[in-house]
């Protein structure tokens, strides 16, 4: 495959200085003669490269906020108010968009840039760039606005860079000065309440929670539905959660278009073990997020707190015994598009949390056939992460033993022991012996290769690599003993392995003959896991086994109230059928849920949006083929295609992107995926791109032209604020759904990642989330 002849392409101009002045559709005309930025980069400097670059719209659901600013455009004021509301809901991505829209409408609105800086509270470099723009424009603004800008400029100053405590304390004092001067400014009070709470993470303890609460109540005395209900919940969450119940009843309702505002009340209800109410809040948050994301074509993990909510939702559903619904949410997290910047298996986002919750809940509710089946699918497939792979093999062995397949369980155990042996050899470690013992001649490697003399004992780092193998082997040895009826022999292995369900350990203790220890362990478990279905069901089972029928019946009555929505067909709960029968109860022994009366006026969940995220339809597009004809999406119906938007033959980074994809065309074709690249050039420019390949033969996939940028705009690979095209890469499946995308100031060049991700996404069942019951004779998972 010929390499892209980059040196025959005109290089991009690098942005040497940030373009000063205005947000405008055609800044080139205003900055004629100045060096222009690289293709896709902002005219206004580095800070503007990232973040949302598509226009905002007035949502009307971000909270009643009034933050008067100096502006020549009335709609700029509306977007400022919206951005402040979004800041109060920690919806930073959309807050920045609102402030950018205000700046587009009124480029001299200083507070718009201040807002952009606040929206980048977790990105100091960008925040510093934005506040510098605000400072440039603060001359004509009011004293109040200047005080806000000066406070944030001081916070981000180089002099305070290494003085974390001092700068946070100073920022709080600056907000206080605004309140002294403008006592009617409730936004300053809201921001100060937040800052005083945040300061606890920067070496400044909260001396009085009641004082901060009183400050926030001053805000609500003026505007009862102000979104700083969010801050009251954070303030009291782990201190006195009952004091936040009034705000929990109003938080989501105060800014119903912000998903995180619905989520926040779940903090309080979870802390109070009111899991039915916390699940409602977290599900509301998920649905609001999904409605917004699917409407505005934002991929879930672009929103920083999305995965946090959905992981918590699965946990709380598990507490209620709603395991099927919880598993469907966890599966949806796994189905979401992955991206090396914001969603990876190790990055604490949806991919990580979805996999973790699937493993944990399948084990918790003893769904062994389903665990094995999902390990044989893209949901719980093998990974390149050593620790995660050991965990997977450990749980596969556990599932085999626990479902009665001892032969396969022993095979899993033998496999892990062999992997441990190989790992020890890789680390050049013999079996541990006392330091005074003379070691024998080095053993050959498992592959017959020679190795240096062995060392005695692992280092701390090496021990960290071996420990997961050793613990996995211990657990499977315990299951092997239990499977053969030797419960006493199994217990030491389980205790050494760690990570074993306390309820299961209590059951093994009982079967090993230690009745009192088992009952003690099970009772202690529910004291530390109050109002949770699974540990209480385990206690009922052990009490019943131990002949404690009266207490079992009493605890079962508690369980009936708690398990109003629980799935009775899971093994743990189905084993309680004799308890229900002894009490002359029907097969469905659950009691109806009792609705809370202190949660405010709630909309129907279905009205907020879908429970699961789904990919959206590809926009219709067409482009010139350079031969007088047109190419369009219609030609790719029924087959997956990757569409690359590149910024013309003069863009060096685009050339590098095409060079990365061109040699892999055959691999993409083998995966069933076509490729096409659409240029912002006209036909003449497209011809130059094509001409670059004549020396080495034709380019390996089609190049097309969209000089009118209609296709760019349809895919949102376009900066609405500056009126310029952006780099974009999209995977569209055979059903015409956009399964993956990357839009930004730099082209996506990791073709190997996208090939792997394309295979994964296309192998999923069209985004369907419900888990079907797996037959007992499920095929064994591969390693």
């Amino acid at each position: 495959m010929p390499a892209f002849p980059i040196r025959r392409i005109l290089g991009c101009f690098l942005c040497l200085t940030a373009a000063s002045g205005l947000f405008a559709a055609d800044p080139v005309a205003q900055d004629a003669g100045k060096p222009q930025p690289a293709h896709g980069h902002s005219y206004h400097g580095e800070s503007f490269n990232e973040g949302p670059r598509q226009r905002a719209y007035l949502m009307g659901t971000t909270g009643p906020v009034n933050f008067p600013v100096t502006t020549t455009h009335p709609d700029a004021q509306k977007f400022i108010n919206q951005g402040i509301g979004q800041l109060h809901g920690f919806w930073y991505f959309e807050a920045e968009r609102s402030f950018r829209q205000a700046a587009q409408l009124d480029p001299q609105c200083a507070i718009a840039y201040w807002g952009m800086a606040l929206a980048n509270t977790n990105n100091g470099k960008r925040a510093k760039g934005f506040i510098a723009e605000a400072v440039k424009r603060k001359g004509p603004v009011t004293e109040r606005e200047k005080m806000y800008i000066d406070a944030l400029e001081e916070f981000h100053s180089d002099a305070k860079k290494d003085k974390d405590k001092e700068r946070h304390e100073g920022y709080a004092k600056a907000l206080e000065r605004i309140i002294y001067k403008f006592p009617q400014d409730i936004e300053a009070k809201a921001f100060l309440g937040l800052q005083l709470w945040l300061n606890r993470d920067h070496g400044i303890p909260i001396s009085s929670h009641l004082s901060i609460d009183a400050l926030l109540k001053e805000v609500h005395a003026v505007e009862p539905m102000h979104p700083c209900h969010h801050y009251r919940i954070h303030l009291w969450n782990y201190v006195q959660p009952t004091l936040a119940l009034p705000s929990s009843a109003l938080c989501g309702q105060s800014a119903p278009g912000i998903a995180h505002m619905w989520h926040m009340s779940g903090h309080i209800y979870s802390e109070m073990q009111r899991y039915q109410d916390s699940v409602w809040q977290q599900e509301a948050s998920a649905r609001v997020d999904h409605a917004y994301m699917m409407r505005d074509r934002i991929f879930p993990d672009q929103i920083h707190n999305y995965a946090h909510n959905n992981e918590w939702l699965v946990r709380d559903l598990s507490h209620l015994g709603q395991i099927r619904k919880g598993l469907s949410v966890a599966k949806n997290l796994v189905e979401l598009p992955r991206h090396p910047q914001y969603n990876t298996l190790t990055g604490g986002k949806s991919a990580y949390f979805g996999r973790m919750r699937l493993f944990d809940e399948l084990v918790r509710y003893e769904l062994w056939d389903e665990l094995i089946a999902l390990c044989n699918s893209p949901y719980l497939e093998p990974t390149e992460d050593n620790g995660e792979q050991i965990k997977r093999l450990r749980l596969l062995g556990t599932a085999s033993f626990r479902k009665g397949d001892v032969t396969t369980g022993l095979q899993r155990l033998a496999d892990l022991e062999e992997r441990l042996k190989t790992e020890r050899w890789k680390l050049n470690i013999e079996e541990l012996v006392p330091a005074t013992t003379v070691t024998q001649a080095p053993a050959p490697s498992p592959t017959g290769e020679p190795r240096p003399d062995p060392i005695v004992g692992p280092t701390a780092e090496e021990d960290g690599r071996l420990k997961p193998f050793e613990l996995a082997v211990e657990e499977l040895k315990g299951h092997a003993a239990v499977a053969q009826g030797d419960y006493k022999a199994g217990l030491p292995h389980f205790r050494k392995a760690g990570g074993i369900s306390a309820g299961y350990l209590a059951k093994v203790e009982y079967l090993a003959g230690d009745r009192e220890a088992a009952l003690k362990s099970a009772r202690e478990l529910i004291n530390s896991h109050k109002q949770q279905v699974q540990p209480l069901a385990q206690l009922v089972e052990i009490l019943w086994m131990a002949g404690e029928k009266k207490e079992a019946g009493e605890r079962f009555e508690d369980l009936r109230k708690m398990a109003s929505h629980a799935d009775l067909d899971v093994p743990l709960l189905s084993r309680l059928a004799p308890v229900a029968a002894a009490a002359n109860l029907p097969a469905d022994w659950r009691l109806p849920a009792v609705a809370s009366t202190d949660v405010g006026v709630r909309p129907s969940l279905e009205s907020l949006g879908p429970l699961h995220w789904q990919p959206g339809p590809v926009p219709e597009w067409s482009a010139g083929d350079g031969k007088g004809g047109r190419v369009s999406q219609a030609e790719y119906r029924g087959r997956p295609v990757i569409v690359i938007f590149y910024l013309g033959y003069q863009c060096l980074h685009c050339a590098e992107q095409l060079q990365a994809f061109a040699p892999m065309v055959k691999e993409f074709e083998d995966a069933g995926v076509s490729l096409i690249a659409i240029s912002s050039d006209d036909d003449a420019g497209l011809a130059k791109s094509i001409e670059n390949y004549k020396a080495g033969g034709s380019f390996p996939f089609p190049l097309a032209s969209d000089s009118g940028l209609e296709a760019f705009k349809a895919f949102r690979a376009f900066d609405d604020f500056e009126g310029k095209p952006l780099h974009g890469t999209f995977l569209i499946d055979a059903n015409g759904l956009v399964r993956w995308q990357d839009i930004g100031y730099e082209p996506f060049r990791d073709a190997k990642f996208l090939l792997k991700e394309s295979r994964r996404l296309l192998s999923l069942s069209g985004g369907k989330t419900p888990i079907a019951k797996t037959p007992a004779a499920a095929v064994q998972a591969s390693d």
Side-chain angles (χ1 to χ4, degrees), residues 274-332:
R274 290 174 51 174
Y275 296 117
Q276 182 175 297
D277 288 323
S278 61
V279 159
W280 194 96
Q281 298 293 153
Q282 291 150 356
E283 182 172 337
S285 177
R287 289 177 180 271
V288 169
D289 251 341
H290 294 152
Y292 145 71
M293 292 164 176
M294 293 165 68
R295 178 184 65 242
D296 292 356
R297 290 184 279 172
I298 303 296
F299 274 21
D301 286 288
Q302 290 180 263
I303 304 304
H304 77 284
N305 47 26
Y306 168 82
H308 163 68
N309 174 77
N310 287 267
E311 184 273 334
W312 201 334
L313 171 58
V314 178
R315 270 189 289 138
D316 282 353
L317 283 166
S318 176
H319 295 335
L320 295 176
Q322 290 182 261
I323 189 61
R324 300 291 174 188
K325 187 173 185 178
L327 290 175
S328 79
V329 175
K331 283 190 71 180
N332 194 227

Side-chain angles (χ1 to χ4, degrees), residues 714-736:
F715 278 83
R716 302 181 85 227
F718 189 81
D719 186 331
D720 294 322
F721 303 125
E722 301 185 27
K724 62 189 296 185
L726 298 171
H727 305 277
T729 305
F730 302 83
L731 168 67
I732 301 157
D733 71 13
N735 297 315

Side-chain angles (χ1 to χ4, degrees), residues 331 334-335 338 345 351 355 358 372-383 392 756-757 759-765:
K331 283 190 71 180
V334 175
E335 291 165 352
R338 295 178 188 170
L345 274 174
R355 185 180 178 98
L358 279 177
I372 292 170
L374 288 177
C375 282
N376 214 26
S377 77
Y379 290 99
L380 296 174
E381 63 189 347
T383 77
R392 177 177 173 275
K756 182 178 179 180
E757 179 64 357
R759 287 172 174 152
R760 187 188 74 87
L761 289 171
L762 296 174
S763 69
L764 293 167
S765 56

Side-chain angles (χ1 to χ4, degrees), residues 498-700:
I500 312 296
S501 161
Y504 176 67
L505 277 178
K507 186 175 181 178
V508 176
E509 283 177 329
Y510 176 79
L511 294 171
D514 198 342
R515 179 181 183 277
E516 295 309 313
L519 292 173
K520 182 176 182 288
S521 298
R523 289 183 180 119
E524 289 176 348
L525 181 61
I526 66 162
N527 290 333
S528 60
H529 294 77
K530 294 178 180 178
Q531 298 300 313
Q532 296 181 21
V533 165
Q534 186 250 9
L536 183 54
Q538 288 178 319
L539 173 60
V540 171
E541 181 183 26
I542 293 172
L543 287 168
W544 191 260
M545 291 167 60
E548 299 286 343
K549 307 294 185 182
K550 184 176 182 295
E551 186 182 354
E554 292 169 352
R555 300 287 192 173
F556 188 67
E557 278 303 305
D558 294 335
L559 182 63
R560 292 181 69 204
K561 301 169 191 173
M562 201 181 299
S564 298
H565 301 290
D567 297 311
L568 298 185
D569 62 335
V570 298
L572 173 61
L573 297 182
S574 66
R575 291 199 299 268
L576 301 184
V579 186
N584 296 315
L585 294 173
D588 185 352
W589 43 260
R590 302 170 298 180
L591 289 173
V594 178
S596 299
T597 58
D598 62 348
V599 294
V601 178
R602 286 173 165 175
S604 71
L605 285 170
E606 291 73 17
S607 70
L608 298 177
L611 177 59
H612 304 112
W613 180 87
Q614 297 292 325
V618 61
E620 290 299 323
W621 60 270
S622 68
D625 64 2
K627 303 174 185 176
R630 307 287 293 176
V631 60
S632 72
Q633 177 61 30
E635 297 183 29
Y636 294 95
R637 287 201 177 100
R639 58 189 172 119
V641 60
I642 287 174
V643 181
I644 295 171
F645 288 89
Y646 73 102
L647 306 183
Y649 75 96
Q650 289 185 311
C651 173
L652 178 61
H653 291 177
C654 300
E656 292 171 348
Q657 180 189 30
L658 295 178
Q659 184 186 32
F661 278 84
M664 296 184 64
V665 168
K666 178 64 166 57
E667 292 176 74
F668 278 100
E669 288 176 348
D670 290 344
V673 181
S674 302
L675 289 97
I676 183 172
I678 300 176
S679 171
S680 58
D681 279 332
D682 56 17
D683 285 348
L686 182 65
K688 291 181 180 179
S689 287
I690 296 172
E691 179 68 22
N692 285 325
Y693 282 91
K694 284 194 173 178
S698 62
F699 192 65

Side-chain angles (χ1 to χ4, degrees), residues 89-289:
F90 290 0
W91 202 9
Y92 300 127
F93 188 78
E94 287 302 323
E96 182 179 336
R97 191 194 309 275
S98 293
F99 292 123
R100 284 195 179 208
Q101 188 69 44
Q104 197 272 337
L105 294 169
D106 180 0
Q108 294 304 322
C109 178
I111 284 293
Y113 303 89
W114 166 86
M116 294 178 213
L118 272 183
N120 282 274
T121 184
N122 297 318
N123 188 329
K125 184 178 180 181
R126 293 189 72 220
K128 189 174 179 180
F130 287 131
I131 198 63
E133 295 297 322
V135 170
K136 290 178 188 177
R137 294 164 173 81
K138 73 175 184 178
V141 306
T142 64
E143 181 184 5
R144 171 181 159 276
E145 292 170 86
K146 285 179 181 176
M147 291 181 76
Y148 274 107
I149 292 169
D150 291 345
L152 200 57
E153 181 193 19
E154 178 67 13
F155 180 81
H156 287 293
S157 70
D158 288 338
K160 295 288 182 68
K161 183 172 63 174
D162 299 319
K163 300 176 181 179
D164 188 67
K165 178 179 177 180
E166 181 181 325
R167 70 191 191 115
H168 282 86
E169 194 169 43
Y171 187 61
K173 289 179 179 178
L175 291 171
E176 276 191 329
R177 288 193 290 272
I178 296 173
I179 297 170
Y180 297 153
K181 186 77 175 179
F182 303 96
Q184 304 307 312
D185 188 348
I186 63 173
E187 295 307 320
K189 294 177 181 180
F191 281 127
L192 177 58
L194 171 64
Q195 189 59 41
L196 292 173
W197 174 74
L198 289 173
N199 280 354
R200 80 204 192 292
D201 292 331
H202 301 279
I204 309 168
I206 296 176
S207 58
S208 171
H209 287 75
L210 287 171
S211 297
I212 301 174
D213 193 56
L215 180 68
L216 295 173
K217 282 181 175 177
E218 287 186 29
V219 177
H220 289 135
V222 176
E223 175 47 74
M225 295 301 285
H226 192 281
C228 73
H229 285 295
H230 179 184
Y231 305 151
R232 289 198 71 244
I233 291 173
H234 273 305
L235 178 68
W236 293 118
N237 189 24
Y238 300 114
V239 182
Q240 287 288 337
T242 56
L243 295 181
L245 282 173
S247 283
S248 298
L250 296 172
C251 191
Q253 291 87 336
S254 70
I258 302 179
H260 190 65
M261 295 292 282
W262 292 104
H263 162 86
M264 281 307 305
S265 304
H267 278 243
I268 297 302
Y269 299 136
S270 285
E271 187 68 16
M272 298 176 66
Q273 294 95 41
R274 290 174 51 174
Y275 296 117
Q276 182 175 297
D277 288 323
S278 61
V279 159
W280 194 96
Q281 298 293 153
Q282 291 150 356
E283 182 172 337
S285 177
R287 289 177 180 271
V288 169
D289 251 341

